[in-house]
Every structure is written in C-alpha cells, then in structure tokens.
Amino acid sequence: MTAVFSHGRLRLYLLKLLDDGPKHGYELIRLLEDRFLGLYAPSAGTIYPRLQRLEVEGLVTHTAAGGRKVYEITEAGRAELRQRADELATLESDITASVEDLSALAGEIRSEVRGSVRDLKRELREAARQTRQARWEPPRTRPTATGGPAPSGESTLLAEFDQRLAAFTVEVGALVRAGRLTDTQLRTAIRLLDGALDGLRRLLR
C-alpha cells in the first residue's frame, strides 16, 4: 500500500468514494487507480477486508447485485466523514503530492530504461551488421603463441555481444530494484523490454 494511506486513512478514503454513490469493490479499485494516474492500484486483498470492517462498524452496508456485493455508505458513515472533514482535506492534499512524486519517479525510470534500450538496439544492430558481413567473408585466422589459430572476427563479436547483453541485464535489474517500482511501473518496464526484443527479431529476419 502506498504510504499516503498509512494509519487507517484508506478506510476514510473508501468512505469518501462511497459517499459519491454505491459501488462494488472493483469499482473502488479502479477509482483509486485513476486517482493515482495508474501508478498505484490497491489489490482486492487490500480493499475487501477494509470494506468488511467498515460494514461491521456500521459505516457501510452492502446488497448483492449480479453476483457482486455493492457497498453503500450509511448515515453513520456520512457522520464520520463530516467529523473528519479536515483530515480528509489533508489526505486529498497528500494524495496530490504523492501522485506528483510517483509521476516524477516514473518519468526518471522511463528515461533510464529508454536510454538503455536505445543503446542495446544500437549495439545489436551493429553486431548484426558485422555478423552478416562476416558470413560473406572467409574466416581469417592467425597463429597464436601456442601455434593454434586465433579466434575469428565473428567469434570475437559474439563474445562482445554476450558481454554487452549480460551488462545490460545487470544494469536494468539494478535500476528496477533500486527504484522500488509498483506493479504498474514494472509492467511498463516489461513492455519496454518486449519492444526491444521485437525490434531485434525484426532486425534479424
């Protein structure tokens, strides 16, 4: 859960969302995701226990509709919202600040990942070009100090490619782990890597 919802503040925000009208659990999840511009989305395991607790406390009630529980705020829930109006205003301000921070972090990560992907694509194109060229040239060998043949140019390039690929994997992994990404940000990074792989496939056809 994002830190802005620590100390029971999520239950207050759920009451605020239900005050706008009855909703089922996944509607509340989507509304929270939209509020955070897709950068944070609570899980069902986060939302439903809190809704159940609110119901036990008499602050919400539910009805069954289409196989789903639709939750509605009670008068007691509205009374709590009125009593905690100042706290809710502070929470809204904190959410706005949190969204700005998450957006800035996501922008930095996207820039770093895009830069790494661009470098990888450039290096892969050059490696592929040299590999194609080497296929049309007879391998050149030269004696080594032990009298055996030295590695060909193609073998050297493939070794360099393996080194660059390994370095790229390590660097991207370190960036992702250092950033403590949300599930949404990780999905974005995965899509970027998939795009680089697709570009490589097209390049080597």
Side-chain angles (χ1 to χ4, degrees), residues 9-173:
R9 299 172 92 192
L10 179 56
R11 67 189 296 280
L12 177 62
Y13 205 72
L14 290 174
L15 287 175
K16 183 263 185 190
L17 293 176
L18 290 173
D19 192 40
D20 295 333
K23 296 172 182 66
H24 57 73
Y26 280 97
E27 284 181 296
L28 294 168
I29 290 173
R30 286 197 299 271
L31 285 170
L32 282 162
E33 186 174 12
D34 290 344
R35 180 67 179 86
F36 282 84
L37 305 180
L39 299 172
Y40 164 75
S43 66
T46 297
I47 293 298
Y48 282 103
R50 284 165 175 78
L51 289 172
Q52 292 169 2
R53 181 63 182 170
L54 289 170
E55 190 168 12
V56 169
E57 295 173 359
L59 302 179
V60 305
T61 185
H62 84 268
T63 56
R68 291 180 172 179
K69 291 182 178 180
V70 176
Y71 293 88
E72 184 174 0
I73 193 170
T74 64
E75 284 304 318
R78 290 191 177 91
E80 177 160 337
L81 279 179
R82 289 192 295 269
Q83 292 170 2
R84 301 176 65 183
D86 291 343
E87 186 179 347
L88 182 59
T90 301
L91 175 57
E92 284 285 9
S93 177
D94 290 346
I95 289 174
T96 298
S98 178
V99 170
E100 291 174 353
D101 291 342
L102 288 172
S103 297
L105 174 61
E108 292 174 4
I109 292 171
R110 281 194 294 267
S111 297
E112 291 174 352
V113 172
R114 277 198 300 267
S116 297
V117 170
R118 280 196 300 269
D119 292 342
L120 175 63
K121 287 181 176 179
R122 183 170 58 251
E123 291 171 5
L124 290 177
R125 282 196 298 269
E126 177 61 20
R129 184 190 66 78
Q130 295 184 18
T131 299
R132 287 195 299 269
Q133 181 180 357
R135 287 174 181 169
W136 295 101
E137 296 178 355
R140 292 175 294 178
T141 61
R142 56 181 174 80
T144 63
T146 59
S152 67
E154 183 174 357
S155 298
T156 302
L157 283 174
L158 288 175
E160 181 179 355
F161 170 79
D162 289 339
Q163 292 174 356
R164 295 293 182 87
L165 184 59
F168 172 79
T169 302
V170 171
E171 183 175 352
V172 171

